[in-house]
Structure formats: structure tokens, C-alpha cells
């Protein structure tokens, strides 16, 4: 029995939000020992001018307030993403708002972009600005904002000197109206204003910061076509597929199945992977894709890559498999390359996308 298995019952006895607070504290204090560093040049991925030491990243939602990015990177992640961060602090939706579906290895949340706002996150990122590692900033809009797009512009302006990359999160189901930004005309307007802001900041700061876009899995083929068309015509450096789902199909846990919010974890795997492959079919050879949704094992990671992902992100999987999941997956990817004679992990990208699309 490893350390995580020993403590998991005690952690699960806590409410999900309290358990999350404890895990952040444990990372900040160094209580969670970091695994040995796994180095394998075959796992390096180049994307948007950045060199990722391995393709496994931590998705936004865990380190909402940029408290522990460096501790996370030490746990085997090739990159991490802080946020979602909104211009003004907001408390989010009323509690309880997070529900474990243990039998399904899933989570339903309706947090609603709870975070401390730009100012605090900026101070924390500025304090670690001399540290190495890829730290993306996931930006969003305040629930009460009169202009969602302006909040994304503010995010670009605020964090431009510090972000390794940006992710525009327009796909959370927990901010009313936010997913409307995925519509073709709204998305064109959003990206036009975002990249106008990027151009201003690039000129001011003398550095180019790539921008990614995160979309929902709850879209049909026509919507995928529209998003793909807009993405291909834009300056986006990557598309993240996907956020949480509103679907509740085939859940074993019926106690919480009716709770509103986004479903993540294992129940999201098939749907998010199918949408990933459908995007790869349309844009994957031009705009790289980052695969998210239900990754909890080395097999899941390989499947996401084969379906079309260049990079990966996970979060919920750590709740059920432990904080060293990224380390386990990267070692597993190296073993897979050993077994198959592969020279680079990037050769897997899209190799079986037709099986899923």
C-alpha cells in the first residue's frame, strides 16, 4: 500500500472542497514528497515555440489562485495551468457545489469560477517569475460582467508579462451565458478582440505569448465545423478539448447524478476523446490539440494521443489515482516507446483518430 492509498479514506471523509484545500496546503508545505525526476528526451513536445519536457499537464481548476505552480511541476507535470482567474474576486456558487462520484471515478462541480481575482494571482506569479517551468494562465469572465469579452482583454493585459501561455476559457457550464461565446459570430468577435490586445501587449513588452482556447464537449458536428473554421482563421496556437460535460449518461452513482454542474473524470473520457478526434479530423494537422477529460492511466493517455492530442491535461484522475499520476504516466509513455521502438511521443498524435472520429 502506497502513501496515497493509506491516506485516501481520510481524505474522502472530508468534503471535496475541504480535501482540495488540504491538498493545496500539503503541496505548499512540501508534505507531499515529489517523485524522482523522470527525464526522457523522447517525451519532449514543441508547441507554439515552447518546449514541453513531457506532454502531461495539470488542467485549470486545481490551482485556481496560482498558489502552488512550482510544487505541481515537481510532481512530474510537463506544464501547469493556473486559474480560471477573473478580473474581480468572486465567491462562486453556493455550497455544496462539488460532488464525488466514487463508483464512477468522476466529479460534478458547479463552482462558478470561484477565485481571488487578478490582483492576488498576479502577485503570486510575479514572486516566482525567475523560476523555470511552463505555467499557463487560464482567464475567464466575472459572472456579473456587462461585457464578458472585456474581461478576457483585461486578463491578457494583466498577466502578459508573466504568462507562458494563455487559455481563454469559454466553456465552463457554471457561468450563465459563457458557452454562448462558442457560437461562430461571438467566437470571431472574442478572438478578434483578444488578439488585438495581444498585439498591443506584444509591442509593449517585447515578447510573444501564445493563446489557447478551451471548448466544451457538448457540441454537435455542425458546431465543431463552425469552431474549426474560426480557429483555422485565427492566430490561436492550440485548442483544448475539452471542458466538463452536462451529460449524465450511464452513471453508476445515482445519488448525485441529478446535481447541476459539469461532470469530469472517467465518465467524460469517451465523449471528450470522440470530440477531440473530430477536431483533429478538421484542424489537427494545422492547430495542435490538447486532450483533456477522464485521463486516469497510461492507457488513457496513449488513447488521447492516438485520437489526436499533442499535449494532455488531467485533474480529476489525481483525486482517484493520487498526486503522482503524472509521473506514472510519463514513465509509462517511456516504456511504451521502448516497447514499440518509438523515437518520439509526437509520432502517436492522431495515429488512430479515425477509430474515434
Amino acid at each position: 500500500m502506497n502513501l496515497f492509498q493509506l491516506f485516501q479514506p481520510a481524505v474522502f471523509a472530508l468534503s471535496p472542497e475541504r480535501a482540495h484545500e488540504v491538498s493545496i496546503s500539503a503541496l505548499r508545505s512540501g508534505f507531499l514528497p515529489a517523485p524522482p525526476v523522470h527525464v526522457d528526451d523522447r517525451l519532449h513536445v514543441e508547441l507554439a515555440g515552447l518546449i514541453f519536457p513531457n506532454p502531461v499537464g495539470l488542467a485549470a481548476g486545481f490551482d485556481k489562485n496560482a498558489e502552488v505552480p512550482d510544487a505541481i511541476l515537481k510532481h512530474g507535470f510537463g506544464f501547469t495551468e493556473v486559474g480560471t482567474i477573473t478580473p474581480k474576486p468572486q465567491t462562486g456558487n453556493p455550497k455544496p457545489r462539488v460532488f464525488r462520484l466514487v463508483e464512477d471515478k468522476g466529479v460534478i462541480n458547479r463552482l462558478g469560477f470561484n477565485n481571488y481575482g487578478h490582483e492576488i494571482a498576479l502577485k503570486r506569479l510575479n514572486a516566482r517569475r525567475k523560476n523555470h517551468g511552463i505555467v499557463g494562465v487560464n482567464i475567464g469572465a466575472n459572472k456579473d460582467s456587462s461585457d464578458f469579452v472585456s474581461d478576457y482583454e483585461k486578463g491578457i493585459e494583466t498577466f502578459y508579462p508573466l504568462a507562458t501561455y494563455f487559455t481563454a476559457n469559454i466553456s465552463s457550464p457554471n457561468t450563465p451565458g459563457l458557452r454562448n461565446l462558442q457560437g461562430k459570430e461571438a467566437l470571431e468577435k472574442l478572438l478578434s478582440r483578444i488578439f488585438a490586445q495581444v498585439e498591443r501587449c506584444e509591442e509593449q513588452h517585447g515578447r510573444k505569448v501564445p493563446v489557447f482556447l478551451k471548448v466544451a464537449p457538448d457540441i454537435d458536428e455542425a458546431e465543431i465545423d463552425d469552431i474549426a473554421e474560426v480557429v483555422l482563421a485565427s492566430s490561436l496556437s492550440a485548442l483544448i478539448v475539452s471542458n466538463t460535460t452536462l451529460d449524465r449518461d450511464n452513471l453508476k452513482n445515482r445519488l448525485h447524478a441529478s446535481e447541476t454542474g459539469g461532470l469530469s473524470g472517467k465518465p467524460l473520457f469517451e465523449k471528450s476523446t470522440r470530440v477531440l478526434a473530430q477536431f483533429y479530423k478538421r484542424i489537427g494537422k494545422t492547430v495542435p490539440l490538447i486532450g483533456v477529460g477522464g485521463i486516469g492511466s497510461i492507457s488513457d493517455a496513449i488513447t488521447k494521443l492516438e485520437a489526436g492530442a499533442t499535449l494532455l491535461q488531467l485533474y480529476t484522475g489525481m483525486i482517484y489515482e493520487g498526486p503522482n499520476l503524472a509521473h506514472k504516466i510519463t514513465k509509462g509513455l517511456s516504456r511504451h516507446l521502448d516497447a514499440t521502438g518509438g523515437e518520439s511521443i509526437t509520432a502517436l498524435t492522431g495515429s488512430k483518430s479515425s477509430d474515434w472520429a
Side-chain angles (χ1 to χ4, degrees):
M1 179 178 290
N2 61 35
L3 189 63
F4 172 73
Q5 291 171 323
L6 182 65
F7 283 100
Q8 188 182 50
V11 172
F12 277 21
L14 302 172
S15 73
E17 285 203 63
R18 179 58 185 148
H20 178 259
E21 293 168 0
V22 169
S23 63
I24 291 286
S25 295
L27 282 165
R28 189 169 49 236
S29 66
F31 175 77
L32 285 177
V37 177
H38 178 68
V39 179
D40 185 344
D41 290 348
R42 298 173 300 173
L43 300 185
H44 289 187
V45 176
E46 184 174 355
L47 189 152
L50 303 172
I51 304 296
F52 294 77
N54 71 63
V56 184
L58 181 64
F62 180 84
D63 192 14
K64 285 178 173 288
N65 296 300
E67 296 179 80
V68 288
D70 295 297
I72 287 165
L73 292 172
K74 291 177 182 177
H75 275 77
F77 287 96
F79 63 109
T80 187
E81 189 169 306
V82 301
T84 297
I85 308 171
T86 57
K88 297 184 296 184
Q90 59 183 27
T91 57
N93 294 317
K95 298 179 182 180
R97 54 193 181 178
V98 186
F99 308 89
R100 295 190 196 95
L101 285 66
V102 177
E103 305 95 320
D104 300 287
K105 291 191 173 181
V107 167
I108 292 173
N109 93 81
R110 52 173 179 265
L111 288 162
F113 286 172
N114 59 311
N115 72 106
Y116 296 153
H118 283 180
E119 185 177 351
I120 288 179
L122 181 66
K123 288 178 180 178
R124 289 172 174 166
L125 290 173
N126 191 56
R128 55 91 49 203
R129 68 183 304 157
K130 293 182 180 180
N131 296 354
H132 298 291
I134 295 175
V135 180
V137 178
N138 186 300
I139 53 176
N142 282 113
K143 182 178 180 178
D144 62 356
S145 176
S146 60
D147 181 1
F148 280 175
V149 178
S150 70
D151 284 8
Y152 292 92
E153 292 174 314
K154 290 172 187 174
I156 298 289
E157 180 181 20
T158 298
F159 295 105
Y160 202 89
L162 299 168
T164 311
Y165 69 85
F166 286 105
T167 293
N169 183 359
I170 60 171
S171 50
S172 169
N174 301 317
T175 297
L178 190 74
R179 285 189 172 187
N180 293 340
L181 292 174
Q182 294 179 138
K184 187 175 181 181
E185 290 184 8
L187 183 56
E188 288 174 336
K189 177 182 177 182
L190 170 73
L191 295 180
S192 174
R193 286 175 58 178
I194 280 179
F195 283 107
Q197 182 71 285
V198 166
E199 287 183 13
R200 290 191 290 269
C201 291
E202 182 179 352
E203 184 175 349
Q204 179 181 354
H205 298 285
R207 65 190 295 258
K208 187 172 183 62
V209 181
V211 179
F212 306 162
L213 180 74
K214 188 169 187 174
V215 297
D218 304 320
I219 49 178
D220 58 28
E221 292 262 4
E223 291 170 312
I224 292 173
D225 286 338
D226 284 346
I227 293 171
E229 182 181 339
V230 175
V231 168
L232 286 170
S234 75
S235 298
L236 284 167
S237 295
L239 186 68
I240 302 179
V241 185
S242 65
N243 213 315
T244 58
T245 181
L246 295 173
D247 278 356
R248 299 293 188 266
D249 295 341
N250 304 315
L251 290 178
K252 298 173 185 176
N253 184 314
R254 304 312 303 175
L255 176 64
H256 297 308
S258 62
E259 295 288 352
T260 58
L263 172 65
S264 62
K266 190 174 181 180
L268 176 59
F269 182 80
E270 288 199 13
K271 183 174 191 176
S272 60
T273 306
R274 184 170 64 252
V275 175
L276 172 73
Q278 290 168 340
F279 270 113
Y280 182 79
K281 181 179 170 184
R282 293 161 173 82
I283 68 171
K285 294 181 173 62
T286 305
V287 180
L289 302 173
I290 300 174
V292 196
I295 299 173
S297 68
I298 176 58
S299 174
D300 295 338
I302 291 172
T303 298
K304 287 281 189 190
L305 293 167
E306 292 174 339
T310 296
L311 295 172
L312 307 168
Q313 287 182 325
L314 57 86
Y315 172 10
T316 303
M318 288 200 304
I319 296 172
Y320 295 102
E321 306 301 331
N324 290 341
L325 179 59
H327 178 71
K328 293 175 185 176
I329 288 176
T330 54
K331 288 187 70 176
L333 291 175
S334 291
R335 289 194 299 269
H336 180 78
L337 292 176
D338 290 341
T340 59
E343 295 183 359
S344 172
I345 199 64
T346 57
L348 291 179
T349 298
S351 58
K352 295 183 180 179
S353 59
S354 59
D355 294 349
W356 285 90

